[in-house]
């Protein structure tokens, strides 16, 4: 590997060493995702249903959620970008990948990993609503209400969490840590802040 491609992160033996504390453990995640799946089973029984996962952070939640859903449904994906490589939201939302399917007349649930400032979902909900779905609702695994900058209605929240920098279960810092099986608080030293 050439020096220009070397990133110190790859020297680490385990990503767990960068976690200050576990905020939501694996058992709690499994239990809550099962409950959210059961809500969808009840509310969308005998209805057409399309789940829209917002890449990349929601992939683990989406993968577990659809296995907790027992009714027929389809899935699709969108990709947005708001953070770049930093830790705070810029408020600028870009669509990197749009849906493959039309949502006109369909029951749609947007599946997110986290709502922070609210800019991403505010924008996504607006543009998807313009496509005239039969219904459009929002399910997020995590919500950081303290960080909200725009008012949005969220239909289902897995866990409401404090304003701490969290990674794992799909959530990243600089594209790393998504594979941690729990939601953990990153040590401030990792992103250059004092402990
Ligand atoms: C994160 C997260 C949400 C968004 C929430 O995505 O997955 O989509 O930020 O922040 P907001 O409420 O302040 O808009 P990110 O842009 O980091 O991309 P990723 O999912 O690929 O990690």
């Amino acid at each position: 590997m050439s020096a220009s491609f070397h990133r110190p992160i790859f020297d680490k033996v385990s990503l767990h060493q960068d976690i200050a504390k576990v905020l939501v453990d694996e058992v709690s995640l499994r239990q809550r995702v099962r409950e959210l799946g059961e809500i969808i089973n009840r509310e969308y029984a005998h209805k057409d249903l399309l789940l829209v996962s917002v890449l990349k952070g929601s992939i683990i939640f989406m993968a577990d959620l659809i296995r907790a859903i027992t009714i027929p449904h389809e899935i699709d994906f969108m990709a947005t970008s708001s953070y770049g490589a930093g830790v705070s939201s810029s408020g600028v939302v870009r669509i990197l990948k749009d849906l493959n399917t039309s949502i006109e007349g369909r029951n749609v649930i947007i599946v997110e990993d986290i709502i922070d400032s609210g800019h991403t979902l505010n924008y996504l909900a607006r543009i998807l609503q313009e496509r005239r779905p039969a219904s459009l609702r929002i399910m997020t695994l995590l919500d950081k209400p303290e960080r909200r900058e725009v008012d949005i209605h969220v239909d289902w929240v897995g866990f409401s969490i404090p304003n701490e920098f969290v990674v794992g279960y799909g959530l990243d810092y600089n594209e790393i840590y998504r594979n941690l099986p729990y939601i953990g608080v990153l040590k401030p030293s990792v992103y250059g802040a004092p402990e």
Side-chain angles (χ1 to χ4, degrees):
M1 184 196 285
S2 86
S4 61
F5 286 105
H6 182 78
R7 282 205 287 164
I9 186 83
F10 296 115
D11 293 339
K12 292 181 200 289
V13 175
S14 167
L15 294 174
H16 298 293
Q17 71 191 61
D18 289 348
I19 302 304
K21 67 174 180 210
V22 174
L23 200 62
V24 189
D25 64 24
E26 291 179 66
V27 173
S28 306
L29 283 167
R30 205 174 306 127
Q31 172 62 29
R32 187 68 183 127
V33 171
R34 195 177 303 137
E35 288 169 5
L36 293 171
E38 283 165 7
I39 290 171
I40 292 176
N41 289 337
R42 278 198 305 275
E43 298 214 8
Y44 291 85
H46 314 297
K47 288 183 183 161
D48 161 72
L49 174 61
L50 176 71
L51 298 183
V52 172
S53 162
V54 186
L55 296 170
K56 303 173 205 167
S58 68
I59 56 159
I60 311 277
F61 176 41
M62 179 76 159
D64 284 347
L65 179 66
I66 64 172
R67 285 177 290 181
I69 297 173
T70 55
I71 60 169
H73 63 279
E74 292 178 31
I75 62 171
D76 204 345
F77 297 88
M78 289 188 85
T80 63
S81 173
S82 62
Y83 283 5
V87 295
S88 66
S89 178
S90 60
V92 177
V93 178
R94 284 188 302 146
I95 298 285
L96 304 178
K97 182 214 170 294
D98 207 334
L99 296 174
N100 290 347
T101 52
S102 164
I103 60 168
E104 187 169 350
R106 308 197 65 185
N107 296 306
V108 177
I109 301 176
I110 303 176
V111 177
E112 258 289 22
D113 55 328
I114 189 165
I115 305 179
D116 197 329
S117 70
H119 286 293
T120 304
L121 271 178
N122 184 46
Y123 179 76
L124 272 185
R126 203 171 64 238
I127 65 161
L128 293 186
Q129 200 67 62
E130 284 168 5
R131 300 178 191 183
R132 301 153 65 87
S135 67
L136 180 67
R137 295 171 90 183
I138 293 172
M139 178 174 283
T140 185
L141 178 67
L142 304 175
D143 184 17
K144 267 191 196 173
E146 286 170 54
R147 298 262 307 166
R148 198 73 88 255
E149 291 173 15
V150 285
D151 222 13
I152 48 167
H153 176 74
V154 184
D155 297 280
W156 302 283
V157 174
F159 300 92
S160 192
I161 63 168
N163 183 20
E164 298 195 88
F165 195 74
V166 289
V167 293
Y169 201 72
L171 286 90
D172 74 308
Y173 169 61
N174 275 351
E175 296 300 329
I176 307 290
Y177 304 95
R178 296 190 197 273
N179 55 315
L180 289 175
Y182 50 77
I183 305 289
V185 177
L186 199 59
K187 287 181 180 168
S189 55
V190 176
Y191 49 91
E195 292 287 341

